[in-house]
Amino acid sequence: MTILKGSQKKYLRGLANPLKPVVFIGKEGLTPQVVNAIDEALASQELIKIKFLEFKEEKKELNRDIEEKSQCILAGMIGHVAIFYRQHPDKEKRKIQLP
């Protein structure tokens, strides 16, 4: 995964504004099932929001784990909601064109 510029992250945060969180991190934390749900959501949508219901103090460490395990990039944090992006490998199926 490439590193995003600040302007690209800002663009992605703008696109994510109307989105609802699709994955929730609860009392079980970052389980393999949660990682699978994140992978599936990124494969279909490219840009997702993840809400931290628990582990609010450890969210920075969990964000790094999510980036590593799901091969995605953290585009931003707004409160307890993280925005992640992973470009679709097939150019024909990409929904987001970065500036």
Side-chain angles (χ1 to χ4, degrees), residues 64-86:
R64 284 192 286 276
D65 289 344
I66 292 169
E67 283 181 309
E68 184 180 303
K69 292 177 181 177
S70 298
Q71 301 298 307
C72 59
I73 295 173
L74 178 68
M77 282 288 300
I78 301 169
H80 299 300
V81 177
I83 301 165
F84 286 95
Y85 171 73
R86 181 172 70 196

Side-chain angles (χ1 to χ4, degrees), residues 20-81:
K20 301 284 184 216
V22 294
V23 177
F24 297 88
I25 308 289
K27 64 182 177 182
E28 298 294 319
L30 192 61
T31 63
Q33 293 84 4
V34 172
V35 174
N36 286 340
I38 292 169
D39 276 334
E40 290 174 12
L42 285 167
S44 66
Q45 299 176 22
E46 291 185 296
L47 186 67
I48 64 167
K49 283 184 176 179
I50 298 174
K51 184 167 179 85
F52 290 89
L53 302 174
E54 301 287 333
F55 298 98
K56 294 176 182 176
E57 301 301 319
E58 298 90 1
K59 63 187 171 191
K60 289 183 181 179
E61 293 83 17
L62 288 173
N63 284 338
R64 284 192 286 276
D65 289 344
I66 292 169
E67 283 181 309
E68 184 180 303
K69 292 177 181 177
S70 298
Q71 301 298 307
C72 59
I73 295 173
L74 178 68
M77 282 288 300
I78 301 169
H80 299 300
V81 177

